[in-house]
Amino acid sequence: MSQAPVERVIILDFGSQYTQLIARRVRELNIYCEIYPYNKDLSTETDIKAIILSGSPCSVNQEDRLDINIDEVTAIAPTLGVCYGAQYIADYYGGTVARSEKREYGKAHITVTQDNPLWKSVENGSQVWMSHADTILELGEGFEIISHTDSIPVAGYQYKRAANPVFGIQFHPEVTHSLQGLNILSNFLIDIAGCQPNWSPKSFIEQTVQEIKEKVGDDEVLLGISGGVDSTVAALLIHKAIGSQLTSFFINNGVLRKNEYTEVLDKYKSLGLNVNGIDASEEFLSELDGVSDPERKRKVIGKTFIDVFLREAESLPNVKWLAQGTIYPDVIESVSVNGPSATIKSHHNVGGLPDYLNLDLLEPLRMLFKDEVRKVGEELGLPDEFVHRHPFPGPGLAIRVLGEITKEKVRLCQEADAIYIDTLKKTGWYDKVWQAGAILLPVKSVGVMGDERTYEYTVALRCVNSKDGMTAEWSKLPYEVLADISNEIINSVKGINRVVYDISTKPPATIEWE
């Protein structure tokens, strides 16, 4: 199912680490966009208003470079090449791109050499962000240089011999270090390409609800709901479209947070959703008992979830659709520019459905980023406790209890986590951070309580700030708050005698430990 409005911006991805950021910036302008692999055939695509070619870790001069037919691309819509995209266009039309004598990385300042609509409201000398090892030394016929920096002769150009306007810039307008980068993107998309900034949560809801109605008809839909913002917003959207034709399962897998099963069920009732609570905690914990490998934990939970789901679904013979809360980063990361990429962690939403389910897939949020899902939730009237709920991993506390899983270890993690989260809420820090959770380590250490020697577990506190989970900084919680959390955990949770704080960023670390 496509949520594309009447017009789209297409971003062709050559493997840049910043490609998703381009999409996010475009959507900040209320313009709809999609990311495709660089070699996507656009000849059968419709309603393309503009095309952006991303950067790349590759060089246009390497033998196995990523090739496309620029003539075909520029014939479709106005085109903007960014970094590698700009170098590729220049090389394609007879320019010279060579290895820089010195790799240009970091802040630079552009000197505008021509009054051009791309620079409207952009200050001469504006700071931009460079990240390239190659440099455009010469341009072919039909090109005009429109900016340079102290280090490179061509920071921006326009090519005037194509059917549509074509621009290239060697810097990255999508990163915040390019101080007027959003202005430049706006100038290209709105003033030059004629895009209408009319994509909003409200328009998304209206269109998606209509599409669900048309697609589903009188069929029944089943959704596995988790209490998180993604699946909850998906449920509200589908419910808005087809009402009682939607049934949701909320399965207790035994590794939820403390009291989460009953509390979330009560909240769903208040939203008017038809949610069946299924307490399968003993079944999950039995299957997880003694399992220590992180990927094995995920597979055990995934298989058990399907077993329980299918067993319960037998009572709903008229269901024709399975709905999921898949979001855009999940979709993008499942498609590699250069072929299958290394598995960091298995994702529970992407990859299609097992054939034996015999159900069609409904993913109403698959084109949204996490912050956009939250905005849609707010537009739908979803309470703040759902909209701003911290992300929680699909495998739950199974990947926050490091090493072998036992019922007692899960209980310890639940108790410590509850104290941690409650304290963040009481001190006003919960809404200031992206995600927080307690990690039970497979490490025991010596402690002293009163006159007694203890030998108990260690808990690590993880707390990060992020916008979409792709990158994250550790949160600078006040020492006083950390001290209160540590004291409360050690004094209240028998079995834990030491608390540490994780100060790792993502990358290189991940947010979760497993």
Side-chain angles (χ1 to χ4, degrees):
M1 180 176 67
S2 169
Q3 275 80 42
V6 175
E7 59 185 40
R8 296 181 293 162
V9 173
I10 299 299
I11 301 166
L12 294 180
D13 180 20
F14 288 86
S16 170
Q17 61 179 320
Y18 298 131
T19 301
Q20 282 201 39
L21 197 50
I22 299 174
R24 293 179 56 78
R25 293 290 178 261
V26 172
R27 292 193 181 181
E28 282 179 28
L29 296 169
N30 295 323
I31 297 170
Y32 182 78
C33 66
E34 294 181 23
I35 298 173
Y36 287 156
Y38 74 97
N39 53 0
K40 168 78 172 177
D41 180 9
L42 300 181
S43 62
T44 59
E45 299 290 323
T46 59
D47 307 317
I48 298 177
K49 198 71 175 176
I51 298 171
I52 299 175
L53 310 183
S54 83
S56 175
C58 302
S59 166
V60 298
N61 293 315
Q62 68 187 54
E63 197 170 314
D64 58 344
R65 74 179 188 176
L66 307 179
D67 273 318
I68 62 172
N69 188 321
I70 292 294
D71 287 327
E72 292 179 359
V73 171
T74 58
I76 294 172
T79 302
L80 174 67
V82 174
C83 198
Y84 178 89
Q87 293 163 2
Y88 190 90
I89 294 171
D91 178 81
Y92 190 92
Y93 289 119
T96 302
V97 178
R99 203 73 175 169
S100 306
E101 291 184 9
K102 181 180 180 182
R103 188 175 188 273
E104 189 168 37
Y105 181 86
K107 298 173 185 176
H109 298 271
I110 55 169
T111 299
V112 173
T113 58
Q114 184 188 109
D115 185 18
N116 189 285
L118 194 66
W119 307 134
K120 188 184 82 171
S121 302
V122 174
E123 298 172 5
N124 200 358
S126 181
Q127 177 183 296
V128 296
W129 182 261
M130 297 283 187
S131 179
H132 58 93
D134 289 347
T135 296
I136 301 170
L137 298 180
E138 294 180 358
L139 292 168
E141 294 183 6
F143 283 83
E144 291 182 357
I145 297 174
I146 58 175
S147 70
H148 65 81
T149 71
D150 290 341
S151 302
I152 59 173
V154 183
Y157 63 71
Q158 181 175 3
Y159 178 57
K160 294 191 172 182
R161 292 193 177 180
N164 291 292
V166 177
F167 292 85
I169 49 180
Q170 285 220 108
F171 56 89
H172 289 271
E174 67 273 20
V175 303
T176 54
H177 298 300
S178 291
L179 299 182
Q180 294 181 291
L182 199 60
N183 281 14
I184 295 169
L185 289 173
S186 174
N187 291 340
F188 171 70
L189 294 171
I190 297 174
D191 294 351
I192 295 170
C195 297
Q196 296 297 313
N198 55 10
W199 194 68
S200 64
K202 183 177 181 181
S203 67
F204 172 84
I205 292 168
E206 291 171 353
Q207 182 173 0
T208 303
V209 166
Q210 185 58 37
E211 288 180 354
I212 293 172
K213 286 180 179 178
E214 293 173 359
K215 192 155 194 171
V216 172
D218 296 327
D219 295 342
E220 292 186 13
V221 178
L222 181 57
L223 169 68
I225 204 164
S226 69
V229 66
D230 298 340
S231 63
T232 304
V233 170
L236 285 180
L237 271 173
I238 299 169
H239 183 264
K240 187 176 178 68
I242 61 172
S244 60
Q245 292 166 242
L246 171 68
T247 300
S248 298
F249 286 167
F250 180 43
I251 298 175
N252 183 1
N253 60 12
V255 283
L256 300 175
R257 282 180 159 144
K258 184 180 179 181
N259 301 326
E260 185 171 26
Y261 178 61
T262 54
E263 290 175 359
V264 169
L265 272 179
D266 288 342
K267 290 172 184 175
Y268 278 140
K269 288 179 183 176
S270 69
L271 294 176
L273 296 173
N274 178 25
V275 180
N276 296 343
I278 302 164
D279 188 354
S281 54
E282 291 299 324
E283 185 173 346
F284 277 88
L285 289 172
S286 175
E287 293 293 332
L288 284 167
D289 187 45
V291 176
S292 59
D293 178 74
E295 276 299 296
R296 177 66 185 149
K297 291 177 184 178
R298 285 178 164 82
K299 286 179 169 56
V300 167
I301 289 175
K303 180 185 180 301
T304 309
F305 182 90
I306 289 175
D307 290 344
V308 173
F309 199 89
L310 288 176
R311 188 170 65 233
E312 297 294 329
E314 289 177 358
S315 63
L316 302 169
N318 296 323
V319 167
K320 299 292 193 303
W321 297 84
L322 179 66
Q324 291 185 337
T326 311
I327 62 175
Y328 203 28
D330 304 331
V331 176
I332 296 168
E333 289 165 11
S334 68
V335 179
S336 171
V337 169
N338 291 310
S341 54
T343 298
I344 298 174
K345 296 177 183 175
S346 300
H347 194 278
H348 58 283
N349 276 354
V350 177
L353 297 173
D355 292 337
Y356 55 78
L357 282 179
N358 199 28
L359 298 174
D360 291 321
L361 189 59
L362 188 65
E363 298 174 303
L365 307 180
R366 68 177 282 112
M367 302 311 295
L368 297 186
F369 290 100
K370 175 73 79 171
D371 57 323
E372 293 171 330
V373 175
R374 296 188 195 280
K375 290 175 184 176
V376 168
E378 290 172 345
E379 184 70 28
L380 287 167
L382 189 63
D384 278 354
E385 59 195 287
F386 278 108
V387 173
H388 299 295
R389 184 178 185 265
H390 287 185
F392 189 62
L397 298 181
I399 58 168
R400 291 185 179 175
V401 174
L402 304 195
E404 290 189 355
I405 299 290
T406 66
K407 187 180 291 188
E408 175 61 11
K409 286 181 180 178
V410 171
R411 186 193 69 79
L412 290 175
C413 192
Q414 286 175 329
E415 296 293 340
D417 182 80
I419 291 169
Y420 184 19
I421 298 301
D422 287 347
T423 305
L424 290 179
K425 289 178 177 178
K426 288 174 186 175
T427 56
W429 275 92
Y430 184 85
D431 290 330
K432 296 178 183 178
V433 299
W434 162 266
Q435 183 174 351
I439 318 293
L440 186 72
L441 305 185
V443 173
K444 285 188 174 183
S445 64
V446 174
V448 177
M449 289 188 178
D451 295 326
E452 293 184 9
R453 176 184 180 275
T454 62
Y455 190 61
E456 297 176 336
Y457 285 104
T458 299
V459 160
L461 305 180
R462 184 68 160 141
C463 190
V464 297
N465 284 77
S466 179
K467 196 165 186 180
D468 54 16
M470 302 303 297
T471 61
E473 291 285 338
W474 63 277
S475 305
K476 279 69 174 176
L477 295 180
Y479 292 150
E480 296 81 4
V481 173
L482 289 171
D484 287 346
I485 295 166
S486 176
N487 289 337
E488 184 66 20
I489 289 174
I490 291 171
N491 290 331
S492 303
V493 185
K494 183 173 176 55
I496 297 172
N497 67 357
R498 192 177 299 272
V499 176
V500 298
Y501 192 55
D502 182 350
I503 59 170
S504 309
T505 61
K506 177 186 178 180
T510 53
I511 295 176
E512 300 294 342
W513 280 40
E514 288 190 342

